[in-house]
Amino acid sequence: MNVERGAGVAAGFADEAYAAAGALLVEDAWVDADVVAKVAKPTAEETRRLTRETILIAFLQPLTDREGVDGLAAAGVTAFAMESIPRITRAQSMDALSSQATVAGYKAALIAADRLPRFLPMLTTAAGTIAPAKVLVLGAGVAGLQAIATARRLGGVVSGFDVRPATREQVLSLGASFLDLGIVGDETEGGYARELTPEEQTRQQEALEQRIPEFDAVITTAAVPGRPAPKLIPASAVEKMRLGSVIVDVAAETGGNCELTRPGDVVEEHGVTIVGPLNLPSTMPFHASQLFARNVASLLAHLAPNGEVVLDWDDEITSGTCVTRREVAA
Ligand code: NAD
């Protein structure tokens, strides 16, 4: 096992720890590797270094990066996308979207608490009683549920909303309330939300505009795979929020759930702070890396059960996760 020298330092993992675990520290981990595992998709230069014999494992953005996937296909690389791990019980330990969304949801709640000019919990002090902050979480997938749990632990009064009917019970089980907006969407086979029709989207925006002024902080995590983030909060809704309110838009990477979000930036509009963070997991690199490494190790153990790569294309995890593969002559 080759590990690039210094690969883990920024995340708090020293080279010595890899050496102690039996890895060989090298300047260039790509040389002679049968399997290359990395976090982000390879650059064009890195793709040129992959051979037809190499297996690549990384986040490859298979639904949105056509050019990158075509490049891998042209190079004849057998590539596995961490985004494409099927969401089935057997593959849970490999599910990197979930592990990284857990980090993002947790961090989003901390950012909301940090940016708010008020306490989250109720406090009884000699100088008077402080009412708890009200937090709304839009999108109750993995990130949203973690944001709900974290904001609750910090003492906020939390409500959640999602278009998938199954989420109501999950939101309630965390001790939050479910915000009824009168919009119910469908769940696709993979457990994801179907994109709302333009008419449903307008109704959702109007309903939210009515309810949003009740909340001090809104954390948005709504997403539909392969699509730009649905716009849930129009500028007119931000205008109605109280001064000092905060929006943390976890969907900033795919354009944002709020019309006024500037991805990668913090803006103040109508007295409301709107945070559009990019790559939240990288802001908590220790645990984000540890979880991602376990996901990759678990996929590797599946692809190479006895240390030898054996690709069984009839297996749902192997075939579902593979995005490009080498043609083998019959
Ligand atoms: P995601 O990141 O694709 O989307 C986040 C949430 O946004 C989803 O809950 C989605 O329903 C919601 N959303 C989409 N459009 C919306 C809108 N207009 N308004 C409000 N909310 C909207 O989803 P995810 O967090 O990756 O999880 C999706 C599903 O997969 C969930 O059902 C989750 O429980 C399931 N899951 C299953 C497994 C497993 O069985 N192994 C593992 C992880 C996740």
Side-chain angles (χ1 to χ4, degrees):
M1 165 87 70
N2 292 348
V3 174
E4 211 168 73
R5 206 175 286 284
V9 173
F13 300 99
D15 282 353
E16 298 76 52
Y18 296 99
L24 184 66
L25 287 149
V26 293
E27 292 307 323
D28 184 351
W30 296 63
V31 178
D32 295 333
D34 297 322
V35 180
V36 173
K38 65 194 298 284
V39 181
K41 62 184 180 180
T43 60
E45 164 61 23
E46 286 172 337
T47 299
R48 272 193 287 280
R49 301 192 59 195
L50 294 165
T51 71
R52 295 173 67 78
E53 275 67 45
T54 326
I55 288 178
L56 173 69
I57 299 175
F59 279 119
L60 297 173
Q61 302 175 356
L63 296 180
T64 47
D65 183 23
R66 200 59 262 163
E67 203 182 315
V69 173
D70 285 350
L72 291 170
V77 176
T78 302
F80 292 89
M82 292 306 286
E83 295 94 332
S84 304
I85 301 270
R87 286 184 136 178
I88 54 175
T89 310
R90 203 158 58 88
Q92 261 176 2
S93 61
M94 309 168 197
D95 187 348
L97 281 184
S98 285
S99 69
Q100 303 306 294
T102 300
V103 179
Y106 171 84
K107 195 63 190 272
L110 298 188
I111 292 173
D114 184 39
R115 291 280 175 179
L116 272 175
R118 51 177 300 145
F119 286 110
L120 244 74
M122 189 186 105
L123 290 182
T124 310
T125 80
T129 301
I130 309 259
K134 287 189 169 174
V135 180
L136 173 63
V137 177
L138 297 172
V142 181
L145 291 173
Q146 188 56 236
I148 290 174
T150 307
R152 285 261 308 144
R153 275 185 222 120
L154 291 170
V157 172
V158 185
S159 303
F161 171 76
D162 197 295
V163 286
R164 288 183 297 111
T167 56
R168 174 186 289 270
E169 206 177 304
Q170 294 160 2
V171 168
L172 296 179
S173 76
L174 291 172
S177 344
F178 194 83
L179 187 76
D180 225 325
L181 292 179
I183 312 280
V184 182
D186 304 316
E187 193 162 306
T188 62
E189 224 173 77
Y192 293 107
R194 148 185 82 74
E195 193 170 27
L196 295 182
T197 63
E199 194 263 328
E200 286 171 325
Q201 272 187 45
T202 309
R203 274 204 295 130
Q204 181 178 30
Q205 289 187 356
E206 286 167 0
L208 263 175
E209 193 168 328
Q210 297 295 317
R211 301 298 303 271
I212 230 166
E214 295 165 31
F215 297 95
D216 300 297
V218 182
I219 299 169
T220 67
T221 72
V224 176
R227 305 286 305 142
K231 287 281 176 282
L232 312 183
I233 307 177
S236 52
V238 177
E239 239 175 280
K240 296 207 166 89
M241 293 178 81
R242 281 193 293 267
L243 292 180
S245 301
V246 171
I247 296 173
V248 181
D249 194 340
V250 179
E253 229 152 289
T254 50
N257 290 142
C258 173
E259 204 171 70
L260 299 179
T261 296
R262 267 201 252 131
D265 240 331
V266 180
V267 292
E268 198 178 308
E269 297 276 357
H270 313 293
V272 177
T273 304
I274 306 168
V275 189
L278 298 177
N279 199 356
L280 271 179
S282 72
T283 65
M284 256 184 54
F286 183 83
H287 277 136
S289 301
Q290 196 174 71
L291 296 174
F292 182 72
R294 290 203 189 122
N295 297 142
V296 171
S298 181
L299 174 63
L300 262 176
H302 180 76
L303 300 177
N306 298 309
E308 280 295 310
V309 176
V310 187
L311 300 178
D312 171 7
W313 298 115
D314 292 328
D315 174 77
E316 187 181 357
I317 299 174
T318 306
S319 60
T321 309
C322 181
V323 289
T324 66
R325 67 196 245 205
R326 177 167 67 107
E327 293 296 332
V328 181

